[in-house]
Amino acid sequence: MPTRPHLNLGSHLLPGLVALALFAVLAAVFLTSSFGEAAGFPTDVSITANIGYALIDLQRLGTIPTDGFLAALLIIAVVLDAALDGAVMLAKREGDEKLIGIESTRTDGGRPRDSAAGGTDSGSVSDTASDTRTGTNTEEAN
Amino acid sequence: MVATITAFAFEVAPAIAILPLASFVIALFAGKYLPKRGALAGIAATGGSLLLSLWVALTVAGGATYNEEIYSLVTTPNTFDLHFGLLLDPLSALMLVIVSLVSFLVHLFSLGYMNDEGEAGLPRYYAGLGLFSFSMLAFVFADNLFMSFVFFELVGLCSWLLIGHWYREDAPPSAAKKAFLVTRFGDYFFLVGVVAIFATFGTTVFAGPESFPTLAEEALAGSGGAGGGAGGLSTFGFGPGAWFTILGFLVLGGVIGKSAQFPLHTWLPDAMEGPTPVSALIHAATMVAAGVYLVARMYGFYALSPTTLAVIAFVGGFTALFAASMAVVKRDIKQVLAYSTISQYGYMMLGLGAGGYVAAVFHLMTHAFFKALLFLGAGAVIIAMHHRQDMWEMGGLKERLPIPYYAFLSGSLALAGIFPFAGFWSKDEILFEALVHGIGGSPLLLGGYLMGLTAVVFTGFYTFRMVLLTFHGEPRTHTARNPHDLGWSVKTPLAVLGILAATAGFVNMVPVGTILGLERIELLHGWLDHGISGLTVEHYGELTHDFAGYTTGALAGSEVLTVLLSAGISLALALAGAGLAWMLYSGPNPEAHTERLGDVRTLLMNNYYQDEYQVWIAETFGTGVARLSDRFDQSIVDGAVNGVSEVSLLSGDRIRRIQTGIVSNYATLLTLGLVVLLLTVGLAGGWFL
Amino acid sequence: MAVAVQYYLLLSAAMFCIGLLGILTRRNALFLLMSVELMLNAANINLVAFSLQYGNLTGQVFSLFVTALAAAEVALGIGILLVLYRNFGDVDITKATTLRW
């Protein structure tokens, strides 16, 4: 039988009131403050092009003031790579999870598992990692 | 050249006290390895002190005095400073000679009493004696009340150490504790008094224009009436006269404790548990003398307060009579002497209270000689009797111990006040002062005089009862028939003191001087009348006259007649007491006549139940206070400590419940915190306006 | 006619609080991840809005980085989710309480 979403009311919604309260406070602050007229951007230049220049520290080619972000770009690349590696590592099935780090961070209180598998898949993991890295790079290049 | 020598004498004066301190250190650390276990070091040190004291006394006799600060402990600008200093004037020079002489002789006597008897713990004993002498000598030349207090307490500590010398037996440690606690009770008031004097005058110096007696005198002379502060001194809401009286009473607390005056005298008879030379030292020159000496030292302050003087005189007179009555029935030779000491210090207090400053100092001096003599004589008898002290086991020692007998007799005649021995002159002068000032407008003093006069009879009686029972008649025990031999170290001090007890009175023969009109014969009076201004007899006389209203009266208007009558009465009464003793106890086998006194004897033997009621007070109030303190400790102190831990335990147990392990709850709390923070900061910073 | 910046802020606050609401009330970990995305994007709105306000591109460039960071976060978040499911047989966050006292 197909289900459809239904509103689940109950006491578990109570903490949500805090979020509403936060919104009320924020709104009260924002609406009572004034920031003056917006400076805006010139209409005759390409903002996207300027962003592109800023990403690779070529902002002197553009006209809108900005900082250079080459270092940040490289760092975020590495971070994404590491995140993917980590995601894959976490997502490995326990049957063949005998990998770096996992052994010591069991979340079930450290009870030993009876399956004695492991070690053989390290090659395939690194393959996957290199694959994904390629993929990531491709994405970023876009 | 003369000035240089004078200055040098005062430069080395601290060594008078330092030498016994050195002997204390030597006896304590090296006593075991020395041939006489530290005795020789002590004899050398006190001998050196004696020589230096004599030198200082000679220098003082030349008219020089010394009043200098030598070591400053704490100095604070504009308020007060705590320092040690030297005050060398005729009074302290005289006392230094007395103390170092008695101390020297006691050390010498100890060779015979302790070393030859093979006592244990000799290094400890001699270390105690050294420290005792050091404390007393430093107390004597102290130039301020703070230093006096420090050494007053050290004297108390030493008496505790020495009375409890034979600590393995039952009685001595308990007697030592009693002496310490009872005197401490008095010293408590003394300490409060010292602090109060600091607070009032900003100084506790005895002599000089900035001394507290001088300041007090100026304040009283300046204010000229009741109410308000006086001369920039803070008197804490009292009139200056009333406040100075309170201060005097506070310091007097320490004096009464140390000098064993009623009602804090109970420690002294028990202190007989210590070795006999120590008893001699305590009674003649150090501990007990310290109290009276303190009053004499700050007499310029006491002279300002008629109330305090009257109380001193009354307490003194009462103690003299009270203690003498108890001495009548005692069997133990040292007990008799102990009560006679209390009684004699009562006389000194009577003298001081009656305005007889010279008389009291005179009696302090003569008493130091004859009481040291009597104790050392008793010690000699005790050695001879193989440490028996009951007089009823003695008898007939006269032929067997001639030197102790004649020395002891000399001391006894002095104690009883028989002409022309030392005690006669000094005791008579005290009574004379009380009488003339009593007639001359202070009738209250006549009460003290009458009590003192009655005590003379008792004194004569118990003194000769003691002499007759000990030395006369037939030997009553085997030991008394074959007494132990005595060495030179026992006999020498007895001989020296025997001569002094017989002759020391000649330095101030007031009756002779008055009758013959020879003022110069009153040497001690002249001695105490020079030196630092403000500490002289003449000045004290003016003070007692101006502030306490003491004026000299005379019987039938004739000074000579008054002197003669006073001397005659006291001599006659002393002879009457002695004669009664002679009648009752002179036979070969005297009977125990005091047995016939019945209930009175029981009362006297039990010392008027003074111990019992004091113990009762101590137990009732002490236990009450202790119970209160215990409750305070259990409930408030422990309660606070336990409460803190209880609160942390409980709150920890409660607060950990918010750690549910559910992420949403943590996030809720975080958000709530953020909201509260924003609201707080926003309201404070006015974001919502 | 440029919209005043406080309305952008209001929008971003609304988005943020909606995300927060999700985090506070939902028990399913997947919804939590989505809510976090919402909150991050609320922050992005702020960045872009103030970039316009001050005529400086830095904010816009920064919002790109935030997006990239969000991707990384989701990648790890889903990985953790898988482990969670494996250990507790569920993605209900109220069940994963073994590390509390």
Side-chain angles (χ1 to χ4, degrees), chain A residues 12-20 22-24 26-28 30-31 33-41 46-47 50-51 54-55 64-67 69 72-74 76 79-80 82-84 86-87 89-94 97 102 106-108 113, chain C residues 1-3 5-7 9-18 20-21 24-27 46 48 50-62 64-66 68-69 71-80 82-84 86-88 98-99:
Chain A
H12 67 280
L13 287 177
L14 215 57
L17 289 178
V18 181
L20 291 180
L22 181 63
F23 178 73
L26 289 176
F30 294 153
L31 291 177
S33 58
S34 60
F35 293 87
E37 199 54 39
F41 293 115
S46 165
I47 290 175
N50 273 287
I51 291 175
L55 280 178
I64 305 176
T66 178
D67 294 324
F69 282 93
L73 186 74
L74 296 177
I76 207 78
V79 168
L80 280 170
L84 263 159
M89 197 175 72
L90 288 169
K92 270 287 178 192
R93 283 206 59 80
E94 55 198 53
E97 69 172 1
I102 279 297
R106 275 207 180 102
T107 47
D108 59 358
R113 300 277 170 181
Chain C
M1 185 59 210
V3 179
V5 73
Q6 51 261 55
Y7 297 110
L9 284 179
L10 206 60
L11 173 66
S12 112
M15 259 178 87
F16 185 85
C17 289
I18 291 167
L20 191 60
L21 194 77
L24 295 184
T25 55
R26 289 292 181 168
R27 301 168 71 176
N46 273 359
V48 174
F50 277 95
S51 173
L52 184 70
Q53 174 79 4
Y54 294 121
N56 189 316
L57 266 185
T58 306
Q60 294 206 23
V61 181
F62 216 90
L64 288 179
F65 286 112
V66 174
L69 212 63
E73 175 249 310
V74 168
L76 278 178
I78 290 179
I80 291 171
L82 284 172
V83 176
L84 198 68
R86 207 176 293 150
N87 282 318
F88 294 94
T98 26
L99 267 182

Side-chain angles (χ1 to χ4, degrees), chain B residues 519-564:
Chain B
E519 282 290 320
R520 292 188 53 195
I521 209 166
E522 299 176 20
L523 295 173
L524 189 71
H525 192 282
W527 167 261
L528 290 172
D529 207 13
H530 78 277
I532 301 172
S533 68
L535 298 180
T536 58
V537 178
E538 200 183 346
H539 184 67
Y540 290 155
E542 287 165 10
L543 290 181
T544 49
H545 184 267
D546 293 349
F547 292 99
Y550 283 2
T551 45
T552 311
L555 287 173
S558 160
E559 197 185 354
V560 176
L561 183 67
T562 316
V563 168
L564 274 179

